[in-house]
Amino acid sequence: DKKEVDLAVQSAKAAFKIWRKKSGMERSRILLEAARIIRERKDEIATVETINNGKSVFEARLDIDTSWQCLEYYAGLAASMGGEHVQLPGGSFGYTRREPLGVCVGIGAWNYPFQIASWKSAPALACGNAMVFKPSPFTPVSTLLLAEIYTEAGVPPGLFNVVQGGAATGQFLCQHRDVAKVSFTGSVPTGKKIMELASKGVKPVTLELGGKSPLIIFSDCDIENAVRGAMMANFLTQGEVCCNGTRVFVQREILDKFTEEVVKQTKKIKIGDPLEEDTRMGPLINRSHLQHVLGFIEQAKNEGAKVLCGGDLCVPEDPKLKDGYYMTPCVLGNCKDGMTCVKEEIFGPVMSILSFDTEAEVLERANDTNFGLAAGVFTRDIQRAHRVVAELQAGVCYINNYNVSPVELPFGGYKMSGFGRENGRVTIEYYSQLKTICVEMGDVESVF
Ligand SMILES: NC(=O)c1ccc[n+]([C@@H]2O[C@H](COP(=O)([O-])OP(=O)(O)OC[C@H]3O[C@@H](n4cnc5c(N)ncnc54)[C@H](O)[C@@H]3O)[C@@H](O)[C@H]2O)c1
Ligand SMILES: CCCCC=O
């Protein structure tokens, strides 16, 4: 509630006073220690994340990898953040200092709980800020491990606080007068509300929102790789991935061959207990989301799409999984641009295949959306690859791959998929502010 949110913010504020005085090297050392602990406890954290979210433990380990890598990356940058020195006439000069913002708020979605908390807190802490983080109420657990690890690594108590709750808790955080910035990952409708709340206090926001990204497959591609890319673009974390390339545009000459192979591979995905080593797809996040995703498939059928595989409720053989929120991954053929399954974010394991003839046509259709998070292109023609990505209206573009997220590269959207970035050097700018200092070395020349 409001009182607990205030306690968390006040304790973060007290920790900020200590942390902001530390040198970049000192902050770096503590972040590196936290990264080391995460690496050491990787399997345990991944297991907790699987129980938290339902994704396969195999995948959860990859999330934990990009988490410690993010801490290491910003630890590497912490000591080299600085301003510039500018010579002015008469020996005077100016300089800039890059300073932290204060107490930042992180609000996370349920699909990548530990990773989202790491991607927000690592640059925030590296820049000298404190953070109060609110995970989704559907996945409250793993973020607490991150808080424990930061404490064990040596951050001042309260520097990274976790508060639990839903929309109301998030609202208290966004409105709190001692909060300097809000970084949000979640849906477009919630992102709009957060921007509105933050605007009342003129607080900067980073918005990492949803998407309906295009994946364009030209007939000159390496088909095996394109099929693997399409699987990566659609079926990680049960399809509950913001940047998924769910509109798969395939050039007509290879449509049948590509479709046949992608359906074959999709049918092979092992669904089941996500804690088992060979499982590649676990249950969706909850029953209402499962019904929501199945509803999209029903509507797609009514609008003329053809279910080529999957799209059904799935009850795994293991009796202990009988009440799980499982479904079979679905490939939809005969999709058209105006269909709901092609226009709206489904956030489940549903791939829509569309055919196209020319580059100009597919670019026009790929960009015809309010979203702009990611996009991909498969082709062996290097000039076409770069020409196409230059025209795609998306913050993250992949050439001949999809859904790889190296922490060295910025991640974030165009259009209604949000603004601001996570990861990469540029994110320092979103967690710091620049102070200009103007130094007079002579006498004051007054105009009065
Ligand atoms: N761009 C990205 O990096 C990225 C990453 C992951 C997920 N997403 C998006 O997240 C969405 C799925 O996640 P979700 O269902 O958890 O999203 P959501 O918008 O429902 O909730 C996200 C978070 O916001 C909180 N919240 C809800 N209402 C709020 C309010 N009025 N004020 C403050 N906080 C509030 C929730 O409790 C939760 O912690 C999808 O649209 C997906 O594309 C984006
Ligand atoms: C692939 C990691 C992106 C997180 C978005 O849901």
Side-chain angles (χ1 to χ4, degrees):
D1 62 18
K2 203 170 179 175
K3 200 169 144 219
E4 287 161 322
V5 164
D6 186 51
L7 282 173
V9 173
Q10 294 316 324
S11 114
K13 200 174 159 189
F16 170 64
K17 286 192 181 140
I18 303 166
W19 188 245
R20 65 182 280 269
K21 291 271 168 58
K22 292 205 183 292
S23 72
M25 284 290 274
E26 288 169 311
R27 294 200 287 262
S28 169
R29 221 169 286 134
I30 293 174
L31 285 172
L32 284 175
E33 175 60 6
R36 188 196 63 74
I37 301 170
I38 295 173
R39 241 185 1 255
E40 194 176 84
R41 294 176 60 183
K42 171 172 152 178
D43 286 349
E44 173 208 343
I45 303 169
T47 302
V48 169
E49 192 70 322
T50 291
I51 295 165
N52 206 21
N53 163 278
K55 66 176 73 192
S56 75
V57 72
F58 180 87
E59 251 199 70
R61 288 194 199 110
L62 304 178
D63 296 8
I64 310 310
D65 281 338
T66 68
S67 301
W68 64 256
Q69 284 160 5
C70 185
L71 268 68
E72 275 194 351
Y73 178 76
Y74 287 104
L77 293 184
S80 59
M81 280 173 217
E84 57 177 353
H85 180 277
V86 180
Q87 202 61 49
L88 297 171
S92 293
F93 62 93
Y95 62 96
T96 56
R97 284 165 54 89
R98 190 153 284 284
E99 297 186 343
L101 298 166
V103 177
C104 300
V105 158
I107 297 180
W110 45 259
N111 59 343
Y112 283 82
F114 193 85
Q115 178 186 283
I116 291 172
S118 302
W119 284 13
K120 292 191 190 306
S121 60
L125 268 50
C127 290
N129 301 287
M131 177 165 268
V132 179
F133 190 89
K134 191 197 85 58
S136 164
F138 297 119
T139 50
V141 183
S142 57
T143 321
L144 295 171
L145 293 181
L146 183 63
E148 285 171 15
I149 288 168
Y150 276 133
T151 307
E152 188 185 334
V155 306
L159 191 76
F160 179 77
N161 270 325
V162 178
V163 291
Q164 304 285 0
T169 312
Q171 285 168 14
F172 294 140
L173 283 166
C174 295
Q175 288 167 319
H176 198 290
R177 64 188 293 268
D178 289 329
V179 164
K181 181 213 163 81
V182 181
S183 176
F184 171 74
T185 296
S187 63
V188 172
T190 311
K192 287 185 193 171
K193 287 184 198 154
I194 286 191
M195 197 171 163
E196 197 181 329
L197 286 174
S199 77
K200 300 208 166 40
V202 197
K203 300 181 204 302
V205 288
T206 291
L207 297 179
E208 294 285 353
L209 309 179
K212 189 74 197 178
S213 301
L215 170 58
I216 304 173
I217 299 182
F218 285 98
S219 56
D220 67 350
C221 71
D222 175 325
I223 286 217
E224 261 183 46
N225 275 318
V227 168
R228 281 192 218 131
M231 305 287 290
M232 287 290 289
N234 280 273
F235 298 133
L236 289 171
T237 307
Q238 295 77 245
E240 299 156 328
V241 183
C242 53
C243 42
N244 268 1
T246 46
R247 291 184 293 144
V248 182
F249 292 94
V250 185
Q251 205 158 18
R252 204 173 301 276
E253 295 90 306
I254 58 161
L255 180 66
D256 291 344
K257 195 169 169 205
F258 173 88
T259 305
E260 189 186 327
E261 192 52 31
V262 104
V263 168
K264 197 165 121 197
Q265 296 304 327
T266 303
K267 285 179 177 167
K268 283 191 199 161
I269 295 176
K270 172 137 192 291
I271 308 169
D273 182 346
L275 288 168
E276 277 177 18
E277 277 307 317
D278 59 346
T279 296
R280 288 297 177 273
M281 191 172 283
L284 272 64
I285 190 70
N286 54 40
R287 189 168 301 284
S288 74
H289 187 60
L290 173 67
Q291 297 306 343
H292 180 67
V293 172
L294 293 173
F296 271 110
I297 296 169
E298 225 22 66
Q299 191 170 2
K301 284 194 247 177
N302 294 338
E303 291 177 11
K306 188 162 177 224
V307 175
L308 303 175
C309 68
D312 298 311
L313 265 180
C314 166
V315 184
E317 278 169 25
D318 185 342
K320 79 171 185 290
L321 306 178
K322 74 174 173 26
D323 293 324
Y325 316 127
Y326 292 93
M327 66 173 282
T328 48
C330 178
V331 178
L332 295 173
N334 198 35
C335 294
K336 301 282 179 286
D337 293 355
M339 291 177 179
T340 311
C341 62
V342 177
K343 288 168 86 80
E344 290 184 23
E345 184 183 46
I346 299 177
F347 222 56
V350 186
M351 178 192 304
S352 296
I353 298 184
L354 304 107
S355 64
F356 74 94
D357 292 300
T358 69
E359 182 180 314
E361 169 215 334
V362 77
L363 272 171
E364 179 88 24
R365 292 168 61 198
N367 286 333
D368 187 17
T369 168
N370 288 331
F371 294 113
L373 187 51
V377 55
F378 274 82
T379 174
R380 282 194 173 100
D381 179 341
I382 191 168
Q383 284 153 330
R384 170 151 62 193
H386 293 288
R387 193 168 62 229
V388 165
V389 292
E391 289 304 313
L392 284 168
Q393 295 163 3
V396 182
C397 290
Y398 302 98
I399 295 177
N400 292 334
N401 206 341
Y402 207 97
N403 269 349
V404 283
S405 309
V407 297
E408 302 91 322
L409 295 179
F411 181 91
Y414 280 13
K415 302 201 278 190
M416 283 177 83
S417 292
F419 50 76
R421 290 291 177 269
E422 290 190 325
N423 294 338
R425 193 174 278 272
V426 70
T427 296
I428 296 301
E429 290 173 27
Y430 296 106
Y431 282 105
S432 61
Q433 52 195 341
L434 208 59
K435 180 177 280 173
T436 300
I437 298 107
C438 188
V439 183
E440 178 58 61
M441 295 295 281
D443 292 327
V444 176
E445 281 181 27
S446 172
V447 293
F448 303 106

